[in-house]
Amino acid sequence: MLRLLVEPGSLRAGSREVSGDDHHYLFRVRRLAAGDRLILFDGDGAEADAEVTSAGPRAGRLEVAPPRVVAAAAPRLTVLLSIIKGERMDWCLAKLVELGVGRIVPLAAERSVVRLEPGRAERRLERYRAQVRAAAQQSRCALVPHVEPVAGLEAALAEVAGAGLKLHLWEDPRAIPLRSALPEHAPATIAVLVGPEGGLTAAEVELATAAGFVAVSLGRRILRAETAAVASAAILAYALNDI
Ligand code: SAM
């Protein structure tokens, strides 16, 4: 059944007008007509059945049934993602959503090339959240992954202090193979730390280790940060039996 992501808090029973991008998507791309049914979801734990009652050239109308709550499972996989330059960050965020990552903490690491002053950090956060919502719509996620405010390493580590397994992706030969860090029975929650283009500093590696992160390798080759993030998300989704 076709699903449409709507603004959080806007889901209520009754008649609802559809215009703009949503109108284009439903009536031009998916060619819905009166009588067709779909599901609206707000990505925040609520969804509702809806039926098309009219489909005009610029706007349409839906009759929306009373919303129901979707069980909000705790995010199983959280990625502490060092901010990557430009569109590579957008690409990486979209892939992490498709692979089922439940929470993303954009990390301002020492060697992050992108430096974000406070005002800019907020604007950047809005962009990341819009990317994640678009990817959630496209990949039909029931819940839109949370993107936390941009954080420094200490604050980011504190965000996942309670995770059942904490993995630091480290390109250094001292890291152990990821495979050998995975327990037989997958823990309920996993946190993954991905360093910036320049890698984490020795002090940051120490901080992560002191916070219980196990340094793991994805092989001998040096991967780009976005490749390492996406590869680890796919491997862990498999380990968590999500794929
Ligand atoms: N500056 C580092 C260097 O030149 O040796 C490379 C950093 S790499 C481009 C960016 C991030 O991707 C790293 O901080 C690490 O988190 C991750 N990464 C890259 N290759 C990896 C590997 N083979 N195993 C584990 N993590 C890796």
Side-chain angles (χ1 to χ4, degrees):
M1 169 98 53
L2 177 65
R3 296 170 64 82
L4 181 72
L5 182 60
V6 297
E7 283 308 309
S10 74
L11 207 47
R12 58 186 69 81
S15 182
R16 180 190 182 100
E17 181 174 282
V18 180
S19 57
D21 292 351
D22 290 347
H23 174 269
H24 176 76
Y25 177 65
L26 292 183
F27 301 113
R28 300 226 184 292
V29 178
R30 305 305 297 261
R31 299 180 181 283
L32 293 195
D36 286 340
R37 305 179 65 77
L38 67 157
I39 292 175
L40 305 184
F41 71 110
D42 71 357
D44 216 11
E47 66 179 32
D49 298 326
E51 181 174 324
V52 177
T53 50
S54 71
R58 271 179 292 285
R61 275 207 163 272
L62 308 175
E63 188 56 32
V64 183
R68 54 181 174 265
V69 174
V70 184
R76 302 198 63 195
L77 192 50
T78 298
V79 176
L80 310 183
L81 179 63
S82 293
I83 297 173
I84 304 166
K85 211 158 168 263
E87 287 177 6
R88 288 166 47 216
M89 183 73 171
D90 302 338
W91 178 90
C92 187
L93 291 170
K95 301 305 139 193
L96 293 180
V97 172
E98 290 173 42
L99 288 164
V101 169
R103 184 162 68 137
I104 296 161
V105 183
L107 177 61
E110 290 287 321
R111 293 188 185 135
S112 288
V113 174
V114 179
R115 314 305 297 180
L116 296 174
E117 307 316 317
R120 219 169 134 227
E122 272 122 42
R123 286 194 300 282
R124 192 59 65 92
L125 179 60
E126 286 322 308
R127 176 174 136 191
Y128 295 158
R129 286 180 171 161
Q131 278 293 335
V132 162
R133 279 187 73 75
Q137 165 72 33
Q138 185 273 327
S139 58
R140 304 210 186 141
C141 290
L143 295 161
V144 173
H146 292 284
V147 182
E148 305 293 351
V150 175
L153 184 59
E154 257 182 282
L157 294 174
E159 291 261 4
V160 292
L165 179 65
K166 302 173 199 173
L167 301 170
H168 160 211
L169 304 185
W170 201 21
E171 66 280 7
D172 186 286
R174 286 169 286 177
I176 63 171
L178 171 57
R179 163 194 309 280
S180 52
L182 295 177
E184 203 187 326
H185 301 293
T189 53
I190 299 181
V192 176
L193 168 60
V194 186
E197 294 91 338
L200 290 181
T201 63
E204 288 174 320
V205 170
E206 237 173 77
L207 212 56
T209 308
F213 277 73
V214 179
V216 295
S217 168
L218 294 171
R220 282 193 304 279
R221 288 175 295 282
I222 301 291
L223 311 176
R224 294 198 118 180
E226 65 271 25
T227 314
V230 170
S232 67
I235 293 164
L236 293 169
Y238 178 78
L240 287 167
N241 302 318
D242 281 354
I243 57 176

